[in-house]
PDB file of all heavy atoms in Angstrom:
ATOM      1  N   GLY P 160     -35.448  -5.504  -5.211  1.00  0.00           N
ATOM      2  CA  GLY P 160     -35.900  -6.100  -6.554  1.00  0.00           C
ATOM      3  C   GLY P 160     -36.324  -5.070  -7.479  1.00  0.00           C
ATOM      4  O   GLY P 160     -36.713  -5.414  -8.634  1.00  0.00           O
ATOM      5  N   LEU P 161     -36.323  -3.677  -7.127  1.00  0.00           N
ATOM      6  CA  LEU P 161     -36.952  -2.689  -7.967  1.00  0.00           C
ATOM      7  C   LEU P 161     -36.139  -2.569  -9.165  1.00  0.00           C
ATOM      8  O   LEU P 161     -36.558  -2.267 -10.285  1.00  0.00           O
ATOM      9  CB  LEU P 161     -37.063  -1.413  -7.173  1.00  0.00           C
ATOM     10  CG  LEU P 161     -37.913  -0.259  -7.825  1.00  0.00           C
ATOM     11  CD1 LEU P 161     -39.415  -0.732  -8.200  1.00  0.00           C
ATOM     12  CD2 LEU P 161     -37.972   0.942  -7.017  1.00  0.00           C
ATOM     13  N   TYR P 162     -34.775  -2.508  -8.985  1.00  0.00           N
ATOM     14  CA  TYR P 162     -33.808  -2.280 -10.140  1.00  0.00           C
ATOM     15  C   TYR P 162     -32.681  -3.291 -10.003  1.00  0.00           C
ATOM     16  O   TYR P 162     -32.460  -3.835  -8.870  1.00  0.00           O
ATOM     17  CB  TYR P 162     -33.278  -0.925 -10.172  1.00  0.00           C
ATOM     18  CG  TYR P 162     -34.392   0.193 -10.272  1.00  0.00           C
ATOM     19  CD1 TYR P 162     -34.593   1.023  -9.195  1.00  0.00           C
ATOM     20  CD2 TYR P 162     -35.044   0.220 -11.554  1.00  0.00           C
ATOM     21  CE1 TYR P 162     -35.650   1.965  -9.406  1.00  0.00           C
ATOM     22  CE2 TYR P 162     -36.055   1.228 -11.586  1.00  0.00           C
ATOM     23  CZ  TYR P 162     -36.326   2.045 -10.538  1.00  0.00           C
ATOM     24  OH  TYR P 162     -37.380   2.893 -10.711  1.00  0.00           O
ATOM     25  N   ALA P 163     -32.135  -3.537 -11.072  1.00  0.00           N
ATOM     26  CA  ALA P 163     -30.906  -4.488 -11.177  1.00  0.00           C
ATOM     27  C   ALA P 163     -29.589  -3.977 -11.108  1.00  0.00           C
ATOM     28  O   ALA P 163     -28.647  -4.521 -10.763  1.00  0.00           O
ATOM     29  CB  ALA P 163     -31.167  -5.500 -12.350  1.00  0.00           C
ATOM     30  N   ARG P 164     -29.494  -2.782 -11.794  1.00  0.00           N
ATOM     31  CA  ARG P 164     -28.124  -2.113 -11.838  1.00  0.00           C
ATOM     32  C   ARG P 164     -28.338  -0.633 -11.697  1.00  0.00           C
ATOM     33  O   ARG P 164     -29.018  -0.027 -12.547  1.00  0.00           O
ATOM     34  CB  ARG P 164     -27.322  -2.594 -13.071  1.00  0.00           C
ATOM     35  CG  ARG P 164     -26.018  -1.877 -13.218  1.00  0.00           C
ATOM     36  CD  ARG P 164     -25.241  -2.471 -14.316  1.00  0.00           C
ATOM     37  NE  ARG P 164     -24.736  -3.877 -13.897  1.00  0.00           N
ATOM     38  CZ  ARG P 164     -25.182  -4.993 -14.317  1.00  0.00           C
ATOM     39  NH1 ARG P 164     -26.299  -5.038 -15.123  1.00  0.00           N
ATOM     40  NH2 ARG P 164     -24.689  -6.179 -13.864  1.00  0.00           N
ATOM     41  N   ILE P 165     -27.592   0.022 -10.806  1.00  0.00           N
ATOM     42  CA  ILE P 165     -27.809   1.518 -10.691  1.00  0.00           C
ATOM     43  C   ILE P 165     -26.278   2.088 -10.882  1.00  0.00           C
ATOM     44  O   ILE P 165     -25.347   1.625 -10.369  1.00  0.00           O
ATOM     45  CB  ILE P 165     -28.242   1.763  -9.273  1.00  0.00           C
ATOM     46  CG1 ILE P 165     -29.670   1.412  -9.092  1.00  0.00           C
ATOM     47  CG2 ILE P 165     -28.236   3.353  -9.031  1.00  0.00           C
ATOM     48  CD1 ILE P 165     -30.271   1.527  -7.859  1.00  0.00           C
ATOM     49  N   LEU P 166     -26.271   3.243 -11.676  1.00  0.00           N
ATOM     50  CA  LEU P 166     -25.045   4.005 -11.687  1.00  0.00           C
ATOM     51  C   LEU P 166     -25.211   5.153 -10.702  1.00  0.00           C
ATOM     52  O   LEU P 166     -26.034   5.920 -10.612  1.00  0.00           O
ATOM     53  CB  LEU P 166     -25.082   4.703 -13.123  1.00  0.00           C
ATOM     54  CG  LEU P 166     -24.004   5.783 -13.323  1.00  0.00           C
ATOM     55  CD1 LEU P 166     -22.548   5.060 -13.367  1.00  0.00           C
ATOM     56  CD2 LEU P 166     -24.178   6.438 -14.750  1.00  0.00           C
ATOM     57  N   LEU P 167     -24.179   5.135  -9.781  1.00  0.00           N
ATOM     58  CA  LEU P 167     -24.107   6.112  -8.748  1.00  0.00           C
ATOM     59  C   LEU P 167     -22.942   6.989  -8.943  1.00  0.00           C
ATOM     60  O   LEU P 167     -21.835   6.480  -9.182  1.00  0.00           O
ATOM     61  CB  LEU P 167     -23.888   5.391  -7.454  1.00  0.00           C
ATOM     62  CG  LEU P 167     -23.575   6.220  -6.165  1.00  0.00           C
ATOM     63  CD1 LEU P 167     -24.552   7.250  -5.843  1.00  0.00           C
ATOM     64  CD2 LEU P 167     -23.223   5.377  -4.921  1.00  0.00           C
ATOM     65  N   VAL P 168     -23.088   8.258  -9.001  1.00  0.00           N
ATOM     66  CA  VAL P 168     -22.066   9.317  -9.262  1.00  0.00           C
ATOM     67  C   VAL P 168     -21.957  10.203  -8.140  1.00  0.00           C
ATOM     68  O   VAL P 168     -22.968  10.769  -7.638  1.00  0.00           O
ATOM     69  CB  VAL P 168     -22.288   9.960 -10.673  1.00  0.00           C
ATOM     70  CG1 VAL P 168     -21.081  10.956 -10.894  1.00  0.00           C
ATOM     71  CG2 VAL P 168     -22.439   8.999 -11.791  1.00  0.00           C
ATOM     72  N   GLY P 169     -20.676  10.466  -7.619  1.00  0.00           N
ATOM     73  CA  GLY P 169     -20.617  11.635  -6.790  1.00  0.00           C
ATOM     74  C   GLY P 169     -19.628  12.649  -7.455  1.00  0.00           C
ATOM     75  O   GLY P 169     -18.615  12.326  -7.898  1.00  0.00           O
ATOM     76  N   ALA P 170     -20.171  13.856  -7.526  1.00  0.00           N
ATOM     77  CA  ALA P 170     -19.499  14.862  -8.289  1.00  0.00           C
ATOM     78  C   ALA P 170     -19.643  16.232  -7.643  1.00  0.00           C
ATOM     79  O   ALA P 170     -20.767  16.547  -7.285  1.00  0.00           O
ATOM     80  CB  ALA P 170     -19.875  14.827  -9.764  1.00  0.00           C
TER      81      ALA P 170
END
Side-chain angles (χ1 to χ4, degrees):
L161 190 58
Y162 301 111
R164 179 168 286 102
I165 294 177
L166 173 65
L167 169 63
V168 182

